[in-house]
């Protein structure tokens, strides 16, 4: 499990650890991890050109000490000090190791020297505000196009929310210390982090505010049939989806559900759609008792009535697509809502751009408003529980932004609900498997939604043994 903590949580853990370590030991650990990450990126240290952008905080100190280590390994290291209050001991260490230090007023004149091969962003630490000051923007403009390694977080992002407000660094690699921060997992800031490398500092940390499942976590949660299992004991999921106008939505929702993770799939909908489903999925049967319902995909005018019927049944429920427009008031806690940003914007009465700028805030707000688990689709999908817990999905591929992919996801989550997972686990595991299946289906290239559904069994087979 990747666990992300707030700045306050991290600082409290660091203070506790520093009380048991020699002075400066924690910064030296961080700097060493940073330096070796830079070497990994460059392939070597000797003769390589490294530029440090250094602000006034401890992240600047980390960058300076890492620069000293790189200089001792034979790198040509130069630091641009963007503040009059740069870390004094770190600056002295870099100079002693043969590195060069240039203060901000002289940067423009000095920038004509050898072009660096990598820039280390030590401008603003985890305590900084979103956005960048003019001097930082000036320095970054001079090195545009050069790979950037960010220290802890890219400067200019909001660490605790993952939001962006003004200019910020876009890193190729982010080297963080002790634990992930929210900005590493939650968009839009996560998209500015590049590849995130975690340096373990041995911090004792409380429960995280955001998590991201990893393959071993998913393997432990995926329902697996008992030796004496039969189709009813494995769970039965019902699909109320599709219409004469959108029959494909029903087919794809059924395909996501009929991926082998549940004992039986039932379909309830227009007879013309049901006939097509029976041809494509002969194992799917008609109406009857279920352990979970999936409602809404392509439902059109039928969605409101289908949602009301499913709610009355009193079983766990996935509400998707057209049915989301008919959600009013609080729902049972075993419900999963699966909006994209536009659908959630309509539900909450705000602009789509507002949702996209602050997805964590609005996913949590929707979860508490409706009393249900809310899965907010995106590059990094968020799964928010009404009690405040949040998981982030980091699997997937940009090719997954394709028509019908959400229908497959809804069916898959419904199957996991019927198989016995809680709404929070079903949404989290379903989203993870959906992204993993898309990666397998696309193999780095284009894909369509039906291929994602077909690849779900392979994604499950590829999990480590629980």
């Amino acid at each position: 499990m990747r666990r992300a903590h707030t700045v306050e949580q991290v600082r409290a853990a660091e203070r506790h650890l520093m009380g048991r370590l020699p002075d400066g030991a924690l910064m030296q650990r961080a700097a060493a991890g940073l330096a070796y990450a830079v070497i990994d990126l460059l392939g070597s240290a000797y003769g390589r050109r490294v530029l440090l952008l250094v602000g006034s905080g401890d992240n600047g100190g980390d960058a300076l000490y890492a620069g000293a280590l790189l200089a001792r390994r034979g790198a040509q290291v130069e630091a641009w000090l963007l503040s009059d209050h740069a870390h004094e001991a770190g600056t002295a260490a870099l100079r002693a190791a043969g590195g060069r230090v240039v203060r901000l007023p002289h940067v423009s004149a000095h920038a004509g020297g050898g072009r660096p091969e990598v820039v280390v962003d030590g401008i603003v630490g985890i305590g900084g505000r979103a956005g960048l000051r003019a001097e930082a923007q000036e320095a970054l403009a001079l090195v545009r196009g050069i790979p950037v390694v960010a220290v802890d977080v890219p400067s200019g992002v909001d660490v605790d929310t993952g939001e962006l407000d003004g200019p910020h660094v876009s890193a190729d690699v982010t080297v963080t210390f002790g634990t992930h921060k929210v900005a590493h997992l939650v968009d839009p800031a996560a998209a500015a982090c590049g590849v995130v490398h975690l340096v373990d500092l041995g911090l004792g940390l409380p429960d995280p505010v955001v998590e991201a499942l990893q393959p071993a976590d998913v393997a432990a949660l995926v329902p697996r049939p008992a030796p004496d299992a039969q189709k009813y004991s494995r769970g039965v999921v019902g699909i109320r989806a599709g219409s004469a106008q959108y029959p494909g939505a029903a087919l794809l929702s059924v395909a996501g559900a009929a991926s082998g993770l549940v004992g039986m799939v039932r379909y309830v909908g227009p007879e013309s759609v049901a006939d097509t489903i029976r041809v494509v999925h002969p194992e799917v049967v008609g109406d009857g008792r279920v352990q979970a319902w999936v409602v809404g995909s392509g439902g059109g005018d039928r969605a409101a009535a289908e949602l009301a019927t499913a709610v009355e049944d009193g079983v766990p429920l996935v509400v998707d697509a057209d049915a989301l427009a008919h959600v009013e008031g609080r729902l049972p806690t075993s419900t999963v809502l699966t909006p994209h940003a536009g659908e959630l914007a309509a539900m909450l009465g705000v602009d789509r751009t507002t949702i996209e700028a602050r997805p964590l805030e609005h996913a949590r707000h929707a979860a508490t408003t409706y009393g249900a688990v809310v899965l907010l689709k995106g590059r990094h999908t968020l799964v928010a529980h009404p009690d405040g817990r949040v998981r982030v999905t980091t699997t997937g591929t940009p090719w997954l932004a394709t028509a019908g992919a959400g229908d497959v996801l809804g069916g898959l989550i419904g199957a996991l609900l019927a198989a016995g997972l809680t709404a929070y686990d079903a949404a989290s595991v379903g989203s993870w498997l959906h992204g993993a299946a898309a990666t397998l289906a696309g193999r780095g290239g284009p894909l369509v939604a039906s291929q994602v559904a077909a690849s779900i069994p392979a994604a499950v087979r590829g999990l480590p043994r629980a």
Side-chain angles (χ1 to χ4, degrees):
M1 187 86 72
R2 287 184 184 171
R3 295 173 170 85
H5 293 81
T6 65
V7 172
E8 182 179 351
Q9 289 175 318
V10 172
R11 284 179 167 169
E14 287 177 343
R15 287 194 297 270
H16 179 74
L17 183 58
M18 284 190 291
R20 299 185 285 112
L21 292 174
D23 189 38
L26 202 61
M27 182 171 283
Q28 293 295 337
R29 287 185 187 179
L34 174 61
Y36 287 116
V38 172
I39 292 172
D40 285 345
L41 178 65
L42 293 174
S44 63
Y46 188 81
R48 312 309 289 264
R49 296 186 300 278
V50 179
L51 173 64
L52 316 177
L53 301 182
V54 180
S56 59
D58 285 347
N59 280 33
D62 296 334
L64 289 163
Y65 278 120
L69 190 154
L70 291 166
R72 291 195 295 270
R73 293 291 188 93
Q76 301 174 38
V77 182
E78 181 170 290
W80 292 358
L81 305 188
L82 309 184
S83 168
D84 293 333
H85 305 287
H87 196 280
E88 291 185 6
T91 302
L94 178 60
R95 284 182 167 134
R100 303 183 68 176
V101 177
V102 181
R103 294 195 176 273
L104 179 63
H106 307 291
V107 163
S108 295
H110 194 77
R115 191 163 173 82
E117 296 169 87
V118 66
V119 174
V120 176
D121 162 30
I123 302 170
V124 180
I126 60 173
R129 296 180 179 179
L132 291 173
R133 294 181 178 178
E135 60 269 22
Q137 295 181 55
E138 174 192 348
L140 288 165
L142 292 170
V143 295
R144 187 175 289 116
I146 299 172
V148 175
V149 175
V151 182
D152 221 353
V153 290
S155 294
V157 308
D158 191 305
V159 181
D160 281 348
T161 67
E163 297 170 12
L164 301 175
D165 185 13
H168 60 88
V169 170
S170 291
D172 298 273
V173 177
T174 295
V175 181
T176 194
F177 312 114
T179 181
H180 289 86
K181 285 73 179 178
V182 176
H184 297 137
L185 299 179
V186 175
D187 279 336
C193 292
V195 177
V196 179
H197 174 69
L198 176 63
V199 177
D200 185 11
L201 299 180
L203 300 180
L205 292 157
D207 290 339
V209 294
V210 173
E211 299 175 325
L213 296 180
Q214 300 302 292
D217 306 310
V218 177
L221 289 169
V222 166
R224 299 178 186 275
D228 60 348
Q230 41 94 356
K231 61 188 176 185
Y232 294 109
S233 68
R234 293 188 59 204
V236 180
V237 62
I239 308 295
R240 293 179 174 273
S243 60
Q245 187 176 6
Y246 301 111
L251 280 164
L252 292 168
S253 185
V254 166
S259 51
L261 292 170
V262 72
M264 182 184 290
V265 179
R266 298 184 181 276
Y267 175 71
V268 178
E271 190 59 32
S272 60
V273 179
D275 289 342
T276 302
I277 287 174
R278 281 190 286 268
V279 172
V280 179
H281 298 282
E283 68 276 13
V284 174
V285 298
D287 199 0
R289 292 188 62 182
V290 300
Q291 279 73 57
W293 283 109
V294 179
V295 181
S297 299
D301 295 338
R302 299 169 48 89
E306 295 287 15
L307 175 60
T309 301
V311 169
E312 288 174 4
D313 210 9
V315 298
L317 175 65
V318 178
V319 184
D320 187 31
D322 292 337
L324 291 167
H326 304 286
V327 172
E328 297 178 356
R330 295 178 66 81
L331 294 161
T333 55
S334 56
T335 299
V336 179
L337 307 178
T338 61
H340 55 58
E343 290 164 337
L344 187 60
M347 294 174 74
L348 297 180
V350 300
D351 293 333
R352 179 176 185 140
T353 54
T354 302
I355 301 291
E356 292 171 336
R358 303 198 300 275
L360 180 60
E361 174 189 331
H362 288 95
R364 280 180 166 150
H365 175 57
T368 56
T369 297
Y370 296 107
V373 169
V374 172
L375 183 150
L376 176 56
K377 300 169 188 173
R379 189 189 77 99
H380 279 190
T381 290
L382 301 180
V383 178
H385 192 282
D387 65 10
R389 287 178 289 162
V390 175
R391 285 178 178 156
V392 182
T393 302
T394 57
T395 58
T397 165
W399 295 105
L400 188 52
T402 186
D407 303 329
V408 173
L409 175 60
L412 172 56
I413 294 171
L416 293 167
L417 278 175
L421 292 191
T422 67
Y424 189 55
D425 285 343
S428 306
V429 170
S431 180
W432 194 99
L433 287 173
H434 188 249
T439 300
L440 289 173
R443 299 182 182 273
L447 54 84
V448 294
S450 57
Q451 292 173 304
V452 178
S455 296
I456 293 170
V460 175
R461 287 193 296 272
L463 292 170
R465 289 184 175 272

